[in-house]
Amino acid sequence: MEIYTRKEKGAVIVSVKGRIDALTAPEFERNLCDWISKGGIIFLINFTQLEYISSAGLRSILATSKKLKEKQGTILFTGLQGPVEEVFNISGFQSIFKIFASEEAALKEI
Amino acid sequence: MRLLLALAQPAKLDNLERLMKSISDCARAQGFDQRRISEIELATEEALVNIFKYSYPEKPGEVEIICKAEANRFIIEIIDSGIRFDVTSWPDPDITADRDERKIGGLGVFLIKKMVDEVRYRRENNRNILDLVIKKEEEK
């Protein structure tokens, strides 16, 4: 798993490449936590290059979103495709999170 | 029935990658496409991680994996000698609950059930035996 992070329009944009599984999910969550402690409250997660996510990754997302809620923050998603989109659909995540067709579309909402 | 793979490893997270690779190589050799392999990997990871986390609360133990081809089905048998855990009797999480009500956890078992065609559990000689059954395309 590789994580690329940048800031744009006050949002923390996190692109994840590879796999978020039981081995890599803790690092993914730690990365998001670090940005929250640095004051990030709006997160846009780009999963265009993510090949695989398991429940460990879903748990990290839920935990992060709960943390952000306390700070009136939010977490948005883009780039869902293939197995990752399937897992989001099956677990009901597509109805509890805002999902956008592109980074541009998401940034317009912020 | 054709035996494709049989291996045993200490039940710990460090072995996840190795076990997953053996299983997905085995599934690939059976002709499954990448999409299906990804689903097989997901079901397998969830089952293995549950064993790593909960099966052996007191002392370390092993997990055994057997892959078999049977008629038009590919079967992954995951065996541990830890505490009884029947995945098939686990209640499904409420996936319609909104974000604040969503519980962290409970999703793993649900994903196992959704990713494969059939999940079978039996307790035999103090061992948990979980069968993940995947049908090959032509049978569907």
Side-chain angles (χ1 to χ4, degrees):
Chain A
M1 180 190 65
E2 289 168 50
I3 304 173
Y4 308 91
T5 313
R6 65 177 212 275
K7 282 196 97 170
E8 194 176 322
K9 284 183 66 179
V12 181
I13 304 177
V14 184
S15 304
V16 191
K17 187 178 176 183
R19 301 164 69 91
I20 303 181
D21 57 19
L23 292 168
T24 58
E27 186 192 335
F28 171 63
E29 191 175 336
R30 209 177 310 123
N31 184 289
L32 296 174
C33 272
D34 286 350
W35 281 93
I36 294 174
S37 58
K38 280 188 247 168
I41 51 163
I42 299 166
F43 284 75
L44 172 58
I45 314 293
N46 188 333
F47 278 162
T48 308
Q49 296 191 85
L50 191 70
E51 295 158 15
Y52 175 98
I53 189 164
S54 69
S55 71
L58 298 180
R59 263 193 290 276
S60 298
I61 291 169
L62 270 184
T64 305
S65 108
K66 286 182 179 179
K67 253 182 218 132
L68 282 170
K69 175 113 203 290
E70 292 162 16
K71 300 177 186 284
Q72 277 81 48
T74 188
I75 185 163
L76 314 171
F77 292 88
T78 186
L80 295 182
Q81 38 69 43
V84 176
E85 186 174 30
E86 188 187 357
V87 170
F88 259 62
N89 289 340
I90 288 172
S91 48
F93 271 42
Q94 93 287 20
S95 58
I96 51 176
F97 291 105
K98 280 192 178 168
I99 296 162
F100 295 88
S102 65
E103 280 191 7
E104 295 70 35
L107 289 171
K108 259 186 227 156
E109 286 278 312
I110 294 169
Chain B
M1 198 273 281
R2 211 151 43 89
L3 181 68
L4 305 168
L5 174 78
L7 55 93
Q9 289 281 329
K12 49 180 190 175
L13 198 57
D14 299 355
N15 287 324
L16 181 67
E17 231 173 335
R18 189 180 320 165
L19 291 166
M20 298 271 292
K21 181 160 191 324
S22 304
I23 295 163
S24 45
D25 286 351
C26 196
R28 198 167 284 113
Q30 290 296 299
F32 290 110
D33 62 19
Q34 190 47 51
R35 178 84 184 222
R36 202 71 185 116
I37 287 169
S38 198
E39 293 167 347
I40 293 168
E41 285 183 344
L42 182 53
T44 313
E45 176 188 327
E46 302 297 349
L48 288 172
V49 169
N50 272 340
I51 293 172
F52 299 162
K53 279 191 189 164
Y54 307 115
S55 269
Y56 301 104
E58 277 159 17
K59 56 177 177 44
E62 280 205 329
V63 62
E64 195 181 330
I65 294 186
I66 294 168
C67 293
K68 305 184 277 197
E70 192 185 277
N72 283 321
R73 297 184 305 173
F74 174 62
I75 300 168
I76 304 164
E77 209 167 270
I78 303 174
I79 305 159
D80 69 85
S81 358
I83 55 172
R84 174 190 286 272
F85 182 66
D86 179 1
V87 161
T88 57
S89 69
W90 204 250
D92 290 341
D94 179 9
I95 61 160
T96 60
D98 76 15
R99 197 185 333 189
D100 303 328
E101 290 159 5
R102 280 301 284 268
K103 294 197 178 65
I104 293 185
L107 281 168
V109 167
F110 184 64
L111 287 174
I112 299 175
K113 294 182 195 163
K114 290 288 178 185
M115 289 296 126
V116 298
D117 296 301
E118 196 188 336
V119 181
R120 298 188 299 226
Y121 170 86
R122 61 187 193 276
R123 179 87 178 166
E124 220 174 74
N125 301 326
N126 292 321
R127 302 194 310 163
N128 296 306
I129 304 175
L130 184 70
D131 282 351
L132 306 179
V133 182
I134 303 107
K135 288 179 186 162
K136 292 193 184 167
E137 285 301 323
E138 58 268 25
E139 210 198 351
K140 282 191 176 171

